[in-house]
Amino acid sequence: QLTLSVVIIALTSLIFGAMGLYMSMDESLDDETREYSAMATYTSVFSGTLLVYRGLFNSNNAGKASPAPFKNLVEQAGHAEGTRGIKVEVNDMLVGGSGSSKIVNGKVIETETIKAKYVVNCAGGGSDQIAKLIGDDSFTIKPRLGDYLLLNRNQGHLAKRTLFPCPDPVLGKGVLVQTTLWGNLILGPTARDMYKPEARDMTAKDIQEYILSKCKQLVPSFDPKETIHAFCGARAKNSRGDWIIEPSAKNANFIHVAGIDSPGLAGSPAIAVEVVKLLQNAGLATPPNSTFNAHRAPIITPKMGMRGLKMGPVGKNDTHDNTDEAKMAANVICKCEKVTELEVVRAMRRSLPIDSTQAIRKRTRAGMGHCQGDPENYNCEARVKAIIARENHVPVSHVGGRPWPATSTLTQRWIDDEEKKELQKRMDKK
């Protein structure tokens, strides 16, 4: 019935539009009549088009349910992965790690070609491959893996400072013990050069024994059974032995920022200044941007214990229309880290799009506490998935989750007593 109405409206609009157009072009009529005919033609076509659009829109949405209640979205999200899964390999680390196409079962939707007068090659572990695209083979990236073990906050008091062993002449500053900004005790990293078989072929057991034995020499009293997470990253060591920040010999407009390993994060502001100079030397005009705002509003709000915060089962404190900021600011989504619904929503509404719980973890720490998103505790990953789906207006199934095991050397995301005992044995072995 609705479709028939749309057709009738469309035909009527076309008939009146055609009549008006004919009259507006009829030279036998006076100018005023022709002018009114032209106006009537425009009004008829515009109104008809609008009515048809609204009719089709309502037809396509007829019978669709209103946005699912938050509790339903959380139930659809299910439980986080904690066993089996896909392992992140070195090649995956070069193209996004736990967010790479293979790990998230990604599909190529389209490809595109981008042309630019200037290129900054800051592709990390893949920077040698980017350089080869212009025939520059002046260096090769030689990935060096760094493995870590993260312990609970009840171990953080054991190290007031970052503790270094005597540096290794080849492998650098060695395996450290330090307290993170959030109070955890972190052990590592290793320095496993992937071109060396003895380092490349180390088992998870070998890696854990190495870290625990080295760190025991610095802090003998830490408890390895308090391990809550293990992870690994790839440093972009290169064949030239130092950071490569220079124009390519093949093209002066192609600036290398390659092989930036530790302490690249600390050096990044100075690197950025140097790259701007290199681009200016290559001819790029860099006039000041008078509209640039260097200050970003914070995502995280400092907490005073539990003051003003509310915890509870899904549905008790959650918002449904995502407009009540006061309610969202009180609703705790991640219990361990006291991350609120408003903080997740703030992250979602920034300029960079977010479609996974991993992205929210990195911006808010939701899921990074001692329970590691345990569904039996607060099931925070499912809650975050629900918010992402709600904000992006997509099904929960379109939201990426935290992969397992990714780069972890643990056998399961939430280790049991047997694995805790095994970690103790590995610490005591050497």
Side-chain angles (χ1 to χ4, degrees):
Q1 183 179 359
L2 183 60
T3 304
L4 179 61
S5 300
V6 170
V7 172
I8 292 173
I9 293 172
L11 290 175
T12 303
S13 299
L14 287 173
I15 291 170
F16 279 102
M19 291 175 61
L21 179 63
Y22 175 80
M23 292 177 66
S24 68
M25 299 176 65
D26 188 350
E27 296 182 355
S28 65
L29 300 175
D30 59 84
D31 291 344
E32 185 177 6
T33 302
R34 293 171 63 187
E35 183 178 346
Y36 281 127
S37 298
M39 293 173 62
T41 300
Y42 171 80
T43 303
S44 176
V45 172
F46 177 79
S47 301
T49 302
L50 180 61
L51 289 170
V52 168
Y53 171 78
R54 293 187 64 180
L56 290 174
F57 179 82
N58 291 333
S59 176
N60 290 334
N61 287 278
K64 287 189 177 180
S66 58
F70 188 79
K71 185 176 182 179
N72 291 3
L73 293 175
V74 173
E75 290 173 353
Q76 292 170 28
H79 289 174
E81 294 182 8
T83 56
R84 300 182 300 277
I86 303 174
K87 186 74 173 177
V88 173
E89 306 294 346
V90 176
N91 288 337
D92 303 317
M93 296 181 190
L94 305 184
V95 289
S98 61
S100 62
S101 179
K102 186 189 87 174
I103 304 304
V104 300
N105 296 315
K107 295 181 180 179
V108 176
I109 304 300
E110 62 179 346
T111 59
E112 60 180 328
T113 300
I114 298 175
K115 295 183 178 181
K117 189 173 182 180
Y118 302 92
V119 172
V120 177
N121 176 20
C122 53
S127 54
D128 56 344
Q129 300 302 312
I130 299 298
K132 288 177 182 178
L133 294 177
I134 65 166
D136 186 338
D137 57 0
S138 59
F139 65 93
T140 302
I141 295 298
K142 303 164 72 176
R144 172 179 287 177
L145 300 192
D147 303 273
Y148 289 88
L149 293 174
L150 183 68
L151 276 59
N152 210 338
R153 285 178 176 170
N154 61 12
Q155 302 293 296
H157 69 280
L158 296 172
K160 301 298 184 184
R161 301 286 187 274
T162 301
L163 304 177
F164 292 81
C166 293
D168 185 277
V170 176
L171 300 179
K173 55 184 177 291
V175 182
L176 319 179
V177 176
Q178 56 187 316
T179 301
T180 69
L181 291 172
W182 300 274
N184 300 84
L185 195 70
I186 190 168
L187 316 177
T190 58
R192 298 190 291 131
D193 290 311
M194 289 295 95
Y195 65 90
K196 297 179 179 179
E198 65 274 17
R200 183 185 63 237
D201 299 334
M202 287 179 73
T203 65
K205 177 176 178 289
D206 296 334
I207 293 167
Q208 291 175 358
E209 285 182 354
Y210 182 82
I211 294 174
L212 292 169
S213 63
K214 292 288 186 182
C215 292
K216 183 175 69 172
Q217 298 173 15
L218 298 172
V219 180
S221 58
F222 72 84
D223 185 355
K225 298 189 296 298
E226 291 293 335
T227 298
I228 62 172
H229 187 35
F231 57 94
C232 173
R235 282 166 269 178
K237 301 293 291 186
N238 70 83
S239 55
R240 286 167 53 177
D242 203 353
W243 295 356
I244 303 171
I245 308 172
E246 63 188 23
S248 169
K250 296 292 183 178
N251 190 315
N253 290 4
F254 192 96
I255 310 298
H256 288 310
V257 187
I260 310 295
D261 57 345
S262 181
L265 181 61
S268 57
I271 293 173
V273 172
E274 178 64 19
V275 170
V276 170
K277 291 179 181 177
L278 293 174
L279 289 168
Q280 290 171 336
N281 292 341
L284 176 65
T286 57
N289 181 356
S290 59
T291 64
F292 176 69
N293 182 2
H295 303 283
R296 287 187 294 176
I299 293 175
I300 302 299
T301 301
K303 314 296 191 305
M304 298 293 291
M306 284 298 298
R307 184 182 302 172
L309 301 178
K310 294 181 180 179
M311 295 184 187
V314 175
K316 181 179 180 180
N317 304 311
D318 308 302
T319 60
H320 301 292
D321 60 0
N322 65 4
T323 59
D324 189 342
E325 291 203 356
K327 189 173 183 180
M328 289 194 292
N331 180 30
V332 173
I333 294 297
C334 171
K335 183 167 69 173
C336 297
E337 299 297 315
K338 299 177 184 174
V339 179
T340 66
E341 182 180 359
L342 181 60
E343 289 167 334
V344 176
V345 169
R346 280 177 183 163
M348 290 292 302
R349 294 177 181 175
R350 293 294 174 97
S351 56
L352 292 177
I354 291 175
D355 60 4
S356 73
T357 60
Q358 284 286 80
I360 291 294
R361 282 179 75 232
K362 295 171 182 177
R363 289 162 173 80
T364 68
R365 288 187 57 81
M368 296 183 75
H370 69 270
C371 92
Q372 293 290 296
D374 187 350
E376 301 302 321
N377 183 15
Y378 206 65
N379 203 15
C380 62
E381 182 163 336
R383 296 180 188 228
V384 171
K385 272 191 176 184
I387 295 173
I388 296 173
R390 184 189 70 194
E391 289 291 307
N392 286 345
H393 306 288
V394 299
V396 175
S397 59
H398 290 192
V399 180
R402 178 178 170 186
W404 178 266
T407 61
S408 179
T409 56
L410 301 174
T411 63
Q412 50 196 323
R413 184 163 162 181
W414 304 285
I415 61 175
D416 55 23
D417 290 341
E418 287 301 315
E419 186 156 6
K420 291 178 181 180
K421 291 177 183 177
E422 190 61 36
L423 287 167
Q424 184 67 61
K425 290 178 183 178
R426 291 171 185 176
M427 176 178 174
D428 297 338
K429 185 173 181 180
K430 296 182 181 180

